Amino acid sequence: MTPALKIQGLRKTYQNGFVALDGIDLEVAQGDFFALLGPNGAGKSTTIGIISSLVTKSGGKVIVHGVDIDIDYPGAKKFLGIVPQEFNFNVFEKVEDILTNQAGYYGIPYGVAKERTEHYLNRLGLADKRHESARNLSGGMKRRLMIARALIHAPKLLILDEPTAGVDIEMRRAMYEFLKEINAAGTTIILTTHYLEDAEALCRNIAIINHGKIVTNRSIRELLRDLNKEVFLLDCADTLPAEIAVNGFELKRLDDHCLEVVINKGQDLTAVFRTLGDKQISVVSMRNEANRLEQMFVNLLEQSA
Ligand code: ADP
């Protein structure tokens, strides 16, 4: 099946020479719920800006449902609903009109536009605000209005840039439920976030971006499994045997005297020491190898605190 989104070798160098995207590749399957996770400044908004044609890329390709944005942007745009971080509707326009007018831009017949507007106003808790100017809405309501507007032309791919930034916990839960619902109904969703919690609660697959590069790209389940592992290096006074195994442990002989032990957090190392002791091998020191991913998450948490 054609991927919902395919990004190849995407690069962005801003005018001041800053390299915000250093050649990223991504592929998101139709129907997926995908997280692009990374700390502030990683390049998430730049990526979305390029997909939505607000930022000019310096190189690479973006293909939406098989349509190259360089060749046929209007064609690609039909598949796309984008919710940027900044509110960009006309704040003097009425809530209801923002939705029906948006439908008009996409050539949606008035009757259908009305029906969809009604549906999203109700579903997103905006029905009693329909006649208000958008400027009178709370921040959370504005965010929901942005989502409703992005969905009005029934896009196959919905991309949200930091949808939960500054959103309180209760609202965040309601937003999770809504997004899960439309994903289950067939819309592919990509969101950017700097909360692992968002990705964990919602997404099936994840790419982590840092300094304009994709650091890892796989399923959330695999990522969480790896985050739960700890790596120790044991330096031994005596020469290690060529083959060494202990039930329930991942061991790797790095050289004659150094043994790498990978454990699940909380698992104790007694059995490893016992086996080494039985073989007359004494351990002179033990180091805890910093988990690269974990270090990144510590940085992320510090930023989002
Ligand atoms: P994120 O969304 O992951 O927080 P951004 O894509 O917004 O990251 O930014 C990536 C980097 O590019 C940041 O270091 C940011 O300061 C820089 N940047 C963004 N816009 C511009 C610009 N117009 N000119 C120069 N640098 C920019």
Side-chain angles (χ1 to χ4, degrees):
M1 208 187 331
T2 315
L5 178 69
K6 192 166 176 166
I7 289 179
Q8 289 175 320
L10 193 63
R11 306 184 57 81
K12 174 64 187 178
T13 306
Y14 281 107
Q15 256 174 2
N16 61 3
F18 184 83
V19 178
L21 293 178
D22 196 6
I24 67 165
D25 298 301
L26 274 183
E27 193 169 312
V28 179
Q30 285 186 41
D32 201 357
F33 204 139
F34 189 95
L36 184 60
L37 178 80
N40 288 327
K44 303 182 295 295
S45 297
T46 301
T47 306
I48 290 187
I50 292 170
I51 299 169
S52 48
S53 85
L54 295 172
V55 175
T56 320
K57 59 187 163 60
S58 314
K61 271 187 186 303
V62 175
I63 300 163
V64 182
H65 276 263
V67 181
D68 186 328
I69 63 166
D70 289 337
I71 295 171
D72 179 13
Y73 190 73
K77 202 174 155 203
K78 279 192 282 194
F79 292 110
L80 272 175
I82 295 192
V83 184
Q85 258 184 75
E86 270 103 51
F87 304 128
N88 60 357
F89 41 71
N90 173 356
V91 292
F92 298 104
E93 214 175 341
K94 281 190 191 135
V95 169
E96 188 175 37
D97 296 345
I98 288 176
L99 299 181
T100 43
N101 289 341
Q102 178 81 358
Y105 297 140
Y106 282 90
I108 292 163
Y110 187 72
V112 179
K114 271 293 190 208
E115 218 170 89
R116 286 189 193 160
T117 298
E118 219 34 58
H119 172 75
Y120 287 117
L121 286 176
N122 284 310
R123 185 57 191 86
L124 289 165
L126 295 167
D128 58 344
K129 303 285 174 192
R130 65 174 72 228
H131 301 304
E132 292 275 353
S133 290
R135 69 183 157 156
N136 296 333
L137 300 183
S138 69
M141 289 172 181
K142 285 181 182 143
R143 177 79 48 209
R144 280 177 274 159
L145 177 59
M146 294 280 287
I147 296 176
R149 192 187 57 171
L151 287 168
I152 208 81
H153 62 291
K156 284 184 183 299
L157 170 61
L158 179 69
I159 302 182
L160 306 109
D161 196 3
E162 299 270 0
T164 60
V167 169
D168 66 52
I169 300 223
E170 208 165 306
M171 242 283 281
R172 194 179 287 200
R173 297 250 157 82
M175 194 186 284
Y176 284 176
E177 284 316 306
F178 176 71
L179 294 176
K180 278 186 188 165
E181 190 181 298
I182 57 171
N183 176 245
T187 308
T188 311
I189 300 183
I190 301 176
L191 57 83
T192 76
T193 183
H194 59 272
Y195 302 109
L196 180 60
E197 187 198 327
D198 282 353
E200 243 184 294
L202 291 168
C203 303
R204 275 187 289 283
N205 291 299
I206 185 167
I208 296 179
I209 182 169
N210 201 15
H211 299 304
K213 285 199 167 97
I214 301 290
V215 183
T216 181
N217 184 353
R218 55 197 157 146
S219 75
I220 296 272
R221 204 178 304 156
E222 284 171 343
L223 176 79
L224 294 176
R225 197 189 56 207
D226 276 10
L227 275 174
N228 216 15
K229 285 187 172 170
E230 220 165 347
V231 180
F232 289 96
L233 299 179
L234 309 188
D235 293 308
C236 305
D238 313 283
T239 306
L240 288 160
E243 296 291 330
I244 183 159
V246 181
N247 240 348
F249 291 87
E250 250 180 78
L251 302 183
K252 195 156 132 203
R253 192 183 187 279
L254 296 185
D255 60 40
D256 281 356
H257 296 275
C258 187
L259 185 68
E260 182 190 88
V261 186
V262 181
I263 61 164
N264 289 320
K265 283 215 175 104
Q267 192 180 4
D268 87 65
L269 287 161
T270 318
V272 176
F273 285 113
R274 195 178 306 127
T275 304
L276 292 171
D278 289 349
K279 295 182 188 297
Q280 315 288 322
I281 294 168
S282 59
V283 176
V284 285
S285 72
M286 178 167 101
R287 290 170 281 154
N288 190 199
E289 174 111 305
N291 180 332
R292 199 169 54 98
L293 268 179
E294 187 154 306
Q295 197 50 50
M296 219 191 101
F297 280 104
V298 169
N299 296 341
L300 283 173
L301 290 175
E302 279 168 3
Q303 281 188 13
S304 54

